Amino acid sequence: MPRHSRITGTGSYLPPRRVSNAQLAAELAERGVETSDQWIVERTGIRARHFAAPDVTSSDLALHAARHALEAAGREAADIDLIIVATSTPDMIFPSTACLLQAKLGAAGCPAFDVQAVCSGFVYALAVADSMIRTGAASKALVIGAEVFSRILDFNDRGTCVLFGDGAGAVVLETSDTPGILASELHADGSHAGILCTPGTVQGGKVLGDPLLKMDGQAVFKLAVGVLESVARSVLVKAGRQDSDIDWLIPHQANIRIMQSTAKKLKLPLDKLVVTVDEHGNTSAASIPLALDHAVRGGQIRRGDTVMLEGVGGGFTWGAVLLDL
Ligand code: UT7
């Protein structure tokens, strides 16, 4: 009998400090950077984001989200035999955030590694965990997206600093007799690396180059709209499903205009679109599992529903996973 993988629990965590657009605009005004609640809401749909305290790291946020997901799945950390963390804001260059999280969970022994695919990171990590479960390399995986993007924001660049937030989302993915994950597809085109990047690095004990996020917003917008439609269609074909089979669409939460355009292209009514970008901002690899957990705990998404997850972001990377919850 073929092995399948299925999500058995979801969890998430937001750091307590919520910063509204008005609060952020007031803080930015003190530096001479002009923005407004109206501009941010009209162009992006974002109303607030959460920022972690300076001493809080991605693995700290991941730990809270992981515990919530384990509890929902009825599992202990010791049951887990694979940990994958998707992050572009790791605690340190090495060891991986997944290893640091593993130590905090007290789950020594199982493989633990990070996936770096920026805002597509969670979809990449979920597809990798699904493959490892289907081939028998793992049976109970923790798959997490965790970010502290506030650390790499340039608060003098109003085109980017109003967009991002911090948070973490997690799922427990387990072996199943019936398919949970139906199909997935991952892509990258490194020739577009420059349109969304944090180019700095460490060399000889010093930061070399600019360690803050840079984005050509319009170039990212145009690419995102195109690839999100094509990858969703491709995954539907692989799974033998149609647009109308999708109960819920969870695209990467970056901009409400991109998300609504994707839903329209897939002929989905907007009430099938899960939206958390308004309250979370863009939390990069954490955005999809955060949105999934909010929709599950809020009673929107129920067991058995068919859900399309779609990531897109720096690399340039994109991908989708279609699943029955
Ligand atoms: O996470 C990976 C995926 N990332 C994304 O999907 C992001 C994709 N891109 C976007 O969401 C949009 O391109 C943005 C929200 C980043 C920008 O929206 P836009 O409609 O493309 O605006 P724009 O960059 O063309 O800027 C329009 C105007 C400019 O002023 P002028 O030149 O027309 O006078 C900007 O200087 O808006 C100005 N502007 C701002 N004004 C007030 C840019 N940022 C701000 C701001 N507040 N925060």
Side-chain angles (χ1 to χ4, degrees):
M1 196 158 65
R3 276 167 74 102
H4 301 283
S5 77
R6 192 168 203 128
I7 290 176
T8 54
T10 66
S12 64
Y13 181 75
L14 289 163
R17 185 172 166 237
R18 177 185 182 272
V19 180
S20 69
N21 288 345
Q23 280 169 290
L24 185 60
E27 283 173 27
L28 292 174
E30 283 174 25
R31 310 170 159 255
V33 176
E34 196 190 323
T35 189
S36 65
D37 174 53
Q38 190 188 353
W39 190 95
I40 302 170
V41 173
E42 278 176 9
R43 299 290 175 125
T44 71
I46 297 167
R47 294 179 184 279
R49 73 286 295 139
H50 289 244
F51 285 150
D55 59 341
V56 171
T57 62
S58 286
S59 70
D60 293 326
L61 303 182
L63 179 64
H64 289 289
R67 284 192 174 138
H68 291 158
L70 286 168
E71 197 184 348
R75 296 288 178 197
E76 304 284 331
D79 299 330
I80 294 300
D81 59 11
L82 170 67
I83 300 174
I84 309 181
V85 174
T87 187
S88 298
T89 46
D91 294 20
M92 43 180 95
I93 290 180
F94 71 80
S96 68
T97 303
C99 285
L100 301 174
L101 170 68
Q102 185 194 47
K104 288 177 182 177
L105 280 168
C110 71
F113 58 92
D114 288 0
V115 162
Q116 219 284 38
V118 200
C119 304
S120 309
F122 182 76
V123 164
Y124 264 63
L126 193 59
V128 170
D130 169 55
S131 300
M132 289 181 71
I133 286 178
R134 281 189 292 105
T135 57
S139 62
K140 292 179 191 68
L142 251 179
V143 185
I144 299 161
E147 303 280 15
V148 283
F149 254 57
S150 59
R151 302 287 151 75
I152 55 167
L153 294 179
D154 178 354
F155 286 96
N156 291 313
D157 175 11
R158 66 178 183 175
T160 54
C161 72
V162 302
L163 305 175
F164 295 89
D166 303 337
V171 300
V172 175
L173 190 73
E174 300 194 31
T175 315
S176 164
D177 294 339
T178 52
I181 293 196
L182 304 171
S184 63
E185 196 168 293
L186 305 176
H187 294 276
D189 180 351
S191 68
H192 297 294
I195 63 173
L196 177 50
C197 56
T198 300
T201 186
V202 173
Q203 199 177 93
K206 292 191 178 133
V207 174
L208 186 75
D210 192 338
L212 300 177
L213 184 148
K214 309 273 164 255
M215 180 168 74
D216 176 345
Q218 288 189 2
V220 172
F221 195 107
K222 276 184 208 142
L223 270 175
V225 168
V227 299
L228 286 173
E229 183 193 6
S230 62
V231 77
R233 295 217 170 279
S234 187
V235 165
L236 281 168
V237 169
K238 270 191 182 174
R241 303 276 183 112
Q242 321 219 336
D243 302 358
S244 54
D245 293 325
I246 300 174
D247 294 312
W248 297 101
L249 175 65
I250 309 186
H252 170 48
Q253 309 278 316
N255 186 317
I256 192 74
R257 292 185 288 145
I258 298 175
M259 294 161 58
Q260 289 179 343
S261 139
T262 305
K264 280 178 197 153
K265 286 183 175 179
L266 296 174
K267 299 188 189 66
L268 293 178
L270 291 183
D271 59 5
K272 292 191 169 194
L273 180 66
V274 175
V275 177
T276 51
V277 70
D278 53 342
E279 275 298 313
H280 301 173
N282 179 348
T283 58
S284 194
S287 92
I288 293 172
L290 256 165
L292 174 65
D293 184 53
H294 276 243
V296 167
R297 285 174 197 260
Q300 268 182 301
I301 300 185
R302 288 158 200 265
R303 188 142 292 281
D305 283 355
T306 301
V307 187
M308 175 72 82
L309 309 180
E310 289 195 274
V312 62
F316 202 73
T317 54
W318 66 100
V321 175
L322 186 71
L323 58 91
D324 283 344
L325 196 72

